[in-house]
Amino acid sequence: MKSYQKLTTTQPAACRVEEEGAAPMPSGHGKLAPWWVGSGLLVAAVLLSTITVWVLRQVSGGWLGPTPPPKCLLVPESHRFDCYPERGVVVTQELCESRGCCFIQSSPPAEGKQGVPWCFYPPDFPSYTLESLNQTALGVVGLLVRREKAYYPRDIERLRLDVEFETDTRLHIKITDAANPRYEVPLDVPRVMKRAENPIYSLNFSRDPFGVLLQRKATGTVLLNTTVAPLIFADQFLQISTSLPSKFLYGLGEHRGSLLHSLDWNTLTLWARDVSPTESFNLYGAHPFYLLMEEGGNAHGVFLLNSNAMEVALQPAPGLTWRTIGGVLDFYIFLGPDPNMVIQQYQQVIGFPAMPPMWALGFHLCRWGYGSSNETWQTVRAMRNYQIPQDAQWNDIDYMDGYRDFTLDPQKFSSLPSLVADLHKHGQHYVMILDPGISSTSPQGSYWPFDEGLRRGLFLNTTQGQPLIGQVWPGFTAFADFSNPDTHQWWLENLQHFYSHVPFDGLWIDMNEPSNFMDGSEDGCPPGELDSPPYTPAVLGNSLSAKTVCASAKQKVSVHYNLHNLYGLMEAKATASALIKIRGKRPFVISRSTFPSQGRYSGHWLGDNRSQWKDMCYSIPGLLSFSLFGIPLVGADICGFSGSTSEELCTRWMQLGAFYPFARNHNTQNEKAQDPTAFSPAARTAMKDVLLTRYSLLPFLYTLFHRAHLQGDTVARPLFFEFPGDVATWDLDRQFLWGRSLLVTPVLEPGVDSVTGYVPQGTWYDFYTGSSVNSSGEMLKMSAPLEHLNLHIREGSILPTQKPGTTTEVTRGNPLRLIVALSSRATAWGDLFWDDGESLDTFEKGNYSYVMFNVTQNIFTSTILHANTEATKVTIGTLSIFGVQKPPSKVLLNGQEKPFSYLDNQVLTVSDLGMSLSQGFSLQWL
């Protein structure tokens, strides 16, 4: 019996920082209370605030200035919504009051923190009035009118409010200019034909000031209350605030930090940017979606369909402010009521993720700096020599001639076609990098991609109508305009030409924020309100053009100001489409920049991380956030991209990375190798073993991806998704689940041989031995020597596994082993989706098998719900049943007695079943 040390319910510390700069962990869960919990607490807070200000004024000799009006003193600090959010400005009382706002200085915040705003809205700040409200077939339409101008230019006086009760769990609220069309995100969203009949929400409006009050009917919980601060809708400044029912908020990517956001005056900026993952920076993608846990375990989500530069300000009220500089306010609210359902409902709007080819779930290996195709080949051979699983070999930009897309270095990579042929011969695959910056300096007629793109007018243009020239790896470059359908055809033709020489299997699209080594262009950016808007969100570099192209650049659909955050999505769409046309199979694309609906076309890796323990730790909230965003095929660079790893760090990271949905070890140039063959025999064996464990679980993982594709289930899953009633799980991000069944507890610190993890209430079984641990919902200290990763199976689950091989192709042909983890009631359930692993639309076309597994009353049954010929090629060899309370006297397979083994840790094993996956069967133990 494996021993576990039970601990108090104190959570492990946040990602440990030997290096500087980790974000602090949010405070503990405590008891949740809405901000309007009672007038007594609010009055006490206001009284305390007023007395504090008075005392400070007396002590300071009046340095805080004249006493603010009583209406300002009535606003508690936590409820002060910022009226002057501009960065780089010392907000004086004169500046603040010129906007009609309250000015109260408070104590300076700690370094790196924002703190309470000194300039905030008074309760009577002018907003919009709801002038009319009329019923429509799907909801209501209203007119909003502003009587007094706000303080940003081109204030829009009359707004149209459209509300559609789309489903019983989905509400759509849109606010836009009543008189003039505005840019809207070109994203296909579902159109409903009838109004929801029994919505689980109720919606009310405040007339003056205009506001939305959304409640959950079952509990009365107020999910949105936008009367807490004024609505502002100017041409380039749109702002709306709301109270929140709790402080447990997730999402709003792409950022680096804990899974649970801090609401301690925390502003999150969404503007795609090429920068190594760093706390507080806006990173590669933009995902204006949050999920919030309510008291009692219900959950809801909010999606703002807007692609302009924006920031989301969080404050401890709890409250939230959306601030964007273009487009419209187009909100979808998802009522769940559990977190899994919220994410499913979100993906019903943005689209379900594509089904990846099975080989995409194998192990991928890459580095920048292999130097040659022969050196790349040597690494592949070394992996084969040690029989370490590998499905895909990648190359970074060093395969190119002068770092130019669609070229091959004729000296160093001349043998690349032979390497790719060898990979294919061994059932392996080849993936190469592509950047959207196209070299513009080759002599005319010598580089078709640029010449033809120029001839067809397929690049981003300046305001003067000439290609915008920036600088990326090949030097001066133009940038492909993927908003233009003609660019998709040109992209396809370039890929077809390269494929005729190097038949690649997948594509890695990098630098697609788009990244630019210059700010704007070689000529800078022109003056004007696109490149220098009235308000610039808190973007890294303090400029929209920092390390990217000018916001004023012209694209086919709109200006880059509106389309910047969509660049990676549009490139992914073009790339996936090209791969389908070239290979006729499921596309495999990994993209750095992402936007909602990206999962339909690509996966994502978490960018240029570092070989540090902190980076490994932060990868877990990173991959869990992208699960929320509908991009399940996600992972971080295993062992770290920049810097040199250590053997211990790389071993632990390979163990964690073997359970990233997308598992790739990637390394930068001029650092020592970090593929498994580069380490000592002990470390190499540990890495090989955990990869074999991953490969054994491929049938289970593949089935999870099918459920993601079919209905929006998450693959890598936060614990609170499965245990929403257990508040202790709400801030856990050092562990995660695969689906509902497999708990992964990695070691994230150096120099330890144990790990502390939370084990939710119930019986859990050690994946390797089947020994059980019964938990009341508590922290457990588990043994974790360097060669061991703790994995536990949840009671009531059945996991389809397979004897692992060194590729997915080999593994697919091996016998299955079904692992049954009995519940306390001696029941269990599981399923398996099986197809050829690569053909397009197998589920949609019916070319698949789907098998259901059940256990009840000591009888295991395998039921075929749908079958095709692929299932006839696979056998079920072994059944392992964990938690069988007493030794059976006999075991019957379809009524015929079978030999079996039974161990003291209550594991029953029946081997040599030899049952075809295409045949249903039953097995009984007596």
Side-chain angles (χ1 to χ4, degrees):
M1 187 78 175
K2 187 166 182 175
S3 63
Y4 297 88
Q5 181 181 347
K6 298 192 176 186
L7 305 172
T8 65
T9 54
T10 305
Q11 311 299 342
C15 295
R16 176 178 287 184
V17 189
E18 323 71 49
E19 313 84 23
E20 293 182 356
M25 191 73 174
S27 57
H29 20 88
K31 185 169 173 58
L32 308 178
W35 69 268
W36 58 90
V37 68
S39 58
L41 287 177
L42 195 57
V43 169
V46 170
L47 186 61
L48 183 61
S49 174
T50 305
I51 293 170
T52 303
V53 170
W54 182 85
V55 170
L56 281 171
R57 288 177 192 285
Q58 304 310 307
V59 171
S60 65
W63 68 270
L64 291 178
T67 302
K71 68 179 181 181
C72 297
L73 292 172
L74 282 171
V75 182
E77 285 193 348
S78 65
H79 290 67
R80 292 178 183 172
F81 286 83
D82 198 347
C83 176
Y84 216 110
E86 282 83 352
R87 300 299 194 278
V89 177
V90 177
V91 182
T92 64
Q93 184 165 351
E94 182 181 10
L95 282 174
C96 179
E97 291 178 352
S98 72
R99 292 186 169 183
C101 291
C102 296
F103 184 81
I104 299 178
Q105 285 179 263
S106 54
S107 53
E111 186 177 351
K113 292 285 187 181
Q114 291 168 241
V116 182
W118 292 5
C119 183
F120 58 94
Y121 295 105
D124 59 355
F125 189 93
S127 185
Y128 287 86
T129 301
L130 180 58
E131 289 287 311
S132 65
L133 192 66
N134 296 297
Q135 294 286 326
T136 67
L138 298 176
V140 295
V141 61
L143 176 66
L144 311 181
V145 177
R146 176 177 274 282
R147 305 296 182 198
E148 297 182 42
K149 282 281 190 183
Y151 45 83
Y152 284 106
R154 297 184 301 284
D155 217 10
I156 297 170
E157 295 180 17
R158 297 165 67 84
L159 301 175
R160 177 185 169 104
L161 168 71
D162 282 290
V163 177
E164 295 184 352
F165 303 98
E166 294 196 339
T167 72
D168 290 343
T169 56
R170 184 173 86 224
L171 177 66
H172 187 189
I173 301 175
K174 185 174 177 180
I175 302 172
T176 188
D177 189 334
N180 301 295
R182 292 178 60 79
Y183 163 76
E184 297 185 27
V185 182
L187 189 70
D188 292 330
V189 292
R191 299 291 177 204
V192 297
M193 303 308 292
K194 66 174 187 174
R195 179 177 178 149
E197 294 179 358
N198 298 294
I200 65 172
Y201 50 86
S202 63
L203 183 66
N204 292 291
F205 299 98
S206 165
R207 194 186 74 80
D208 189 11
F210 165 73
V212 171
L213 189 78
L214 179 68
Q215 289 179 278
R216 184 182 297 280
K217 284 183 180 177
T219 61
T221 302
V222 177
L223 308 183
L224 298 176
N225 176 3
T226 69
T227 65
V228 293
L231 166 66
I232 296 178
F233 201 122
D235 184 36
Q236 290 183 272
F237 186 88
L238 292 71
Q239 178 176 279
I240 190 168
S241 302
T242 182
S243 63
L244 299 170
S246 87
K247 295 187 176 184
F248 291 89
L249 183 142
Y250 315 82
L252 298 173
E254 183 175 5
H255 296 94
R256 173 153 126 163
S258 55
L259 179 64
L260 176 68
H261 286 301
S262 166
L263 270 59
D264 187 17
W265 306 107
N266 180 21
T267 296
L268 302 168
T269 305
L270 281 64
W271 183 248
R273 168 65 194 250
D274 173 5
V275 62
S276 294
T278 306
E279 297 86 321
S280 82
F281 288 177
N282 50 292
L283 301 182
Y284 310 106
H287 292 273
F289 166 82
Y290 71 78
L291 179 142
L292 187 138
M293 292 297 294
E294 306 157 28
E295 184 175 8
N298 286 329
H300 71 272
V302 177
F303 171 42
L304 172 55
L305 179 50
N306 181 292
S307 62
N308 290 88
M310 76 170 72
E311 58 193 18
V312 185
L314 308 174
Q315 62 191 77
L320 175 150
T321 297
W322 297 95
R323 221 177 267 137
T324 183
I325 61 172
V328 301
L329 296 176
D330 192 359
F331 289 102
Y332 288 87
I333 301 98
F334 311 100
L335 274 288
D338 74 54
N340 288 294
M341 294 172 74
V342 170
I343 301 306
Q344 289 175 345
Q345 291 156 14
Y346 175 42
Q347 291 174 91
Q348 286 167 8
V349 170
I350 63 171
F352 296 126
M355 184 69 186
M358 182 172 268
W359 66 265
L361 307 184
F363 179 59
H364 301 248
L365 192 54
C366 184
R367 77 165 299 168
W368 180 20
Y370 279 122
S372 69
S373 47
N374 285 341
E375 189 179 332
T376 310
W377 209 338
Q378 287 171 11
T379 303
V380 172
R381 288 179 177 132
M383 291 285 285
R384 290 179 193 154
N385 183 52
Y386 289 114
Q387 296 183 299
I388 300 172
Q390 182 189 1
D391 258 82
Q393 180 61 51
W394 296 38
N395 276 126
D396 208 316
I397 57 174
D398 37 0
Y399 80 86
M400 300 176 185
D401 185 6
Y403 298 146
R404 296 178 303 163
D405 278 355
F406 313 113
T407 67
L408 194 62
D409 185 313
Q411 276 78 45
K412 296 178 181 176
F413 280 82
S414 58
S415 64
L416 185 58
S418 300
L419 164 59
V420 173
D422 181 65
L423 289 168
H424 291 165
K425 178 184 171 184
H426 286 84
Q428 296 172 302
H429 299 82
Y430 181 70
V431 180
M432 65 184 197
I433 195 169
L434 280 177
D435 294 338
I438 302 298
S439 174
S440 62
T441 57
S442 299
Q444 187 173 356
S446 66
Y447 184 49
W448 192 87
F450 178 75
D451 292 340
E452 190 63 16
L454 187 64
R455 188 183 72 79
R456 299 186 199 178
L458 305 180
F459 298 121
L460 272 64
N461 284 337
T462 65
T463 54
Q464 303 303 309
Q466 298 300 313
L468 182 147
I469 302 300
Q471 187 175 6
V472 200
W473 296 113
F476 290 114
T477 56
F479 296 87
D481 177 11
F482 291 103
S483 77
N484 186 344
D486 294 340
T487 305
H488 292 215
Q489 178 62 29
W490 163 86
W491 194 244
L492 168 64
E493 290 169 23
N494 279 292
L495 285 167
Q496 284 173 324
H497 182 261
F498 193 81
Y499 185 86
S500 67
H501 300 285
V502 180
F504 51 82
D505 300 289
L507 291 166
W508 169 25
I509 51 176
D510 191 13
M511 307 292 285
N512 54 353
E513 292 72 34
S515 177
N516 185 358
F517 297 164
M518 299 174 159
D519 290 348
S521 77
E522 61 178 342
D523 300 316
C525 296
E529 290 194 324
L530 291 178
D531 292 300
S532 303
Y535 180 80
T536 300
V539 298
L540 178 63
N542 302 312
S543 166
L544 296 183
S545 63
K547 295 296 178 279
T548 189
V549 300
C550 298
S552 59
K554 294 180 177 180
Q555 297 189 234
K556 178 76 171 181
V557 166
S558 185
V559 288
H560 193 72
Y561 181 91
N562 293 326
L563 300 180
H564 174 82
N565 282 338
L566 299 174
Y567 194 91
L569 169 63
M570 290 176 166
E571 186 191 14
K573 192 173 182 179
T575 305
S577 172
L579 276 170
I580 290 170
K581 289 172 180 170
I582 291 169
R583 300 182 69 248
K585 299 175 182 178
R586 281 177 227 162
F588 173 72
V589 182
I590 294 292
S591 175
R592 191 167 73 180
S593 189
T594 58
F595 190 79
S597 81
Q598 188 102 16
R600 295 171 61 188
Y601 312 106
S602 85
H604 172 64
W605 97 104
L606 296 173
D608 294 340
N609 60 4
R610 304 166 188 86
S611 296
Q612 297 177 353
W613 290 89
K614 179 179 74 171
D615 288 64
M616 175 172 65
C617 183
Y618 274 131
S619 72
I620 299 176
L623 72 95
L624 294 179
S625 290
F626 275 87
S627 289
L628 270 58
F629 300 149
I631 307 176
L633 189 64
V634 61
D637 283 346
I638 297 170
C639 301
F641 173 70
S642 65
S644 274
T645 191
S646 68
E647 182 162 291
E648 182 190 12
L649 172 60
C650 199
T651 303
R652 293 302 195 188
W653 209 328
M654 283 289 292
Q655 289 169 345
L656 167 59
F659 286 84
Y660 293 156
F662 164 57
R664 180 186 71 161
N665 179 317
H666 180 44
N667 191 10
T668 191
Q669 60 180 354
N670 303 321
E671 296 288 356
K672 61 186 180 184
Q674 62 185 37
D675 63 86
T677 69
F679 295 99
S680 71
R684 186 173 66 237
T685 300
M687 294 177 188
K688 175 181 175 178
D689 287 347
V690 78
L691 287 176
L692 288 170
T693 299
R694 177 191 178 88
Y695 275 59
S696 75
L697 283 159
L698 282 172
F700 175 57
L701 180 61
Y702 193 64
T703 301
L704 292 177
F705 268 95
H706 166 68
R707 299 177 75 86
H709 171 64
L710 186 64
Q711 60 191 36
D713 284 7
T714 52
V715 176
R717 189 171 300 177
L719 272 72
F720 75 85
F721 270 48
E722 288 300 315
F723 303 93
D726 182 354
V727 182
T729 65
W730 289 10
D731 64 354
L732 295 179
D733 60 8
R734 296 167 66 94
Q735 300 165 271
F736 58 97
L737 294 158
W738 265 12
R740 62 176 297 276
S741 306
L742 187 65
L743 177 62
V744 183
T745 307
V747 172
L748 302 171
E749 298 169 357
V752 299
D753 59 6
S754 65
V755 62
T756 300
Y758 187 76
V759 180
Q761 184 174 4
T763 301
W764 296 79
Y765 297 91
D766 183 286
F767 171 80
Y768 309 98
T769 67
S771 296
S772 64
V773 55
N774 295 305
S775 174
S776 60
E778 56 205 316
M779 301 299 298
L780 295 180
K781 185 177 180 181
M782 311 170 197
S783 175
L786 188 60
E787 69 278 3
H788 185 71
L789 171 69
N790 276 277
L791 298 173
H792 290 88
I793 306 175
R794 184 180 181 182
E795 63 171 302
S797 305
I798 299 176
L799 268 57
T801 72
Q802 205 159 19
K803 180 183 177 182
T806 53
T807 63
T808 54
E809 184 178 279
V810 172
T811 302
R812 280 177 55 81
N814 289 340
L816 290 164
R817 175 193 175 211
L818 305 179
I819 303 176
V820 177
L822 292 178
S823 71
S824 56
R825 301 184 307 278
T827 60
W829 176 91
D831 61 345
L832 173 64
F833 176 83
W834 197 257
D835 61 11
D836 68 7
E838 62 178 10
S839 293
L840 292 163
D841 303 324
T842 55
F843 177 77
E844 292 78 4
K845 294 175 180 176
N847 296 327
Y848 68 94
S849 294
Y850 183 70
V851 186
M852 189 87 72
F853 308 116
N854 271 291
V855 171
T856 184
Q857 296 181 335
N858 292 2
I859 300 174
F860 170 95
T861 56
S862 172
T863 306
I864 314 301
L865 298 184
H866 193 278
N868 77 332
T869 55
E870 288 295 324
T872 64
K873 304 173 185 176
V874 186
T875 59
I876 298 174
T878 304
L879 196 60
S880 296
I881 306 168
F882 298 169
V884 177
Q885 297 293 317
K886 58 183 182 180
S889 59
K890 60 181 173 180
V891 169
L892 303 177
L893 174 64
N894 291 337
Q896 301 296 311
E897 199 163 333
K898 286 286 288 184
F900 64 91
S901 67
Y902 182 82
L903 302 178
D904 291 343
N905 63 347
Q906 301 183 338
V907 174
L908 168 65
T909 302
V910 186
S911 302
D912 301 319
L913 294 174
M915 298 300 299
S916 170
L917 181 61
S918 62
Q919 294 177 291
F921 69 93
S922 66
L923 185 139
Q924 183 178 18
W925 58 99
L926 304 169

